[in-house]
Amino acid sequence: MDGSLYAVEINVFWPYGDSEGLSQPDLYDHLETSGMLLDVFEWTLTQAFQQARSVSRKFNIRFKVAVRLHVLLVRNYDQLFSILDRSLEATGLSYEFIQFEVPESAINNEYSGSTKLLHELRNRGATVAIDRFGMG
């Protein structure tokens, strides 16, 4: 490793009671239950992409934005690409700036649909990583 910046990760944090807050998977589960996951995901992406674009230009550096995909997003192929396309268009970024972290459970449970998604993400220029592979 040469010490250069490779990627920054999008994390959503929600304070909860006296604890450190809800973990991102727990928060995503609550958002899914309330029907707000897609809207919050799109808003978060757009904000993160705008900030990444600003930092990239200001410091003349190139890096990826790591995005963890919730299982619901993996299952909703068309909605996911609609959200991604809108966020990228609004910020002037391209798929080459993104590294998607796909949960292992999405691949195990939705194999045919998830492989189609993984191939399409790669075809559009994104990097793909399997999150928690072999860990659960």
Side-chain angles (χ1 to χ4, degrees), residues 9-11 24-25 28-29 32 37-38 41-42 45 49 65-77 79-81 83-84 95 98-107 113-114 116-122 126-132:
E9 184 173 5
I10 299 173
N11 278 308
Q24 191 164 7
Y28 278 13
D29 289 343
E32 180 180 1
L37 179 61
L38 297 175
F41 180 74
E42 183 169 358
L45 274 184
F49 291 167
V65 177
V67 177
R68 185 176 192 279
L69 293 179
H70 187 275
V71 174
L72 176 69
L73 296 166
V74 173
R75 283 188 220 131
N76 289 290
Y77 181 92
Q79 284 183 306
L80 173 62
F81 280 105
I83 290 169
L84 290 169
Y95 280 90
I98 310 171
Q99 174 176 303
F100 291 98
E101 297 175 358
V102 180
E104 178 187 10
S105 59
I107 294 170
S114 60
K116 178 183 172 186
L117 171 76
L118 297 177
H119 285 292
E120 184 60 27
L121 290 170
R122 294 286 309 263
T127 304
V128 176
I130 307 302
D131 191 30
R132 296 186 183 147

Side-chain angles (χ1 to χ4, degrees), residues 5 10 17 21 26 30-31 57-58 67 73 84 94 99 102 110 117 122 124 127 129 133:
L5 178 64
I10 299 173
D26 288 343
H30 286 288
L31 290 170
R57 287 184 175 177
K58 182 176 182 176
V67 177
L73 296 166
L84 290 169
S94 63
Q99 174 176 303
V102 180
E110 304 278 337
L117 171 76
R122 294 286 309 263
R124 292 184 184 206
T127 304
F133 186 73

Side-chain angles (χ1 to χ4, degrees), residues 8-56:
V8 294
E9 184 173 5
I10 299 173
N11 278 308
V12 179
F13 177 77
W14 191 273
Y16 185 72
D18 293 334
S19 71
E20 295 180 13
L22 294 173
S23 68
Q24 191 164 7
D26 288 343
L27 176 58
Y28 278 13
D29 289 343
H30 286 288
L31 290 170
E32 180 180 1
T33 301
S34 69
M36 296 176 55
L37 179 61
L38 297 175
D39 292 332
V40 171
F41 180 74
E42 183 169 358
W43 180 85
T44 303
L45 274 184
T46 303
Q47 295 300 309
F49 291 167
Q50 286 173 343
Q51 290 176 19
R53 182 172 164 242
S54 176
V55 169
S56 180

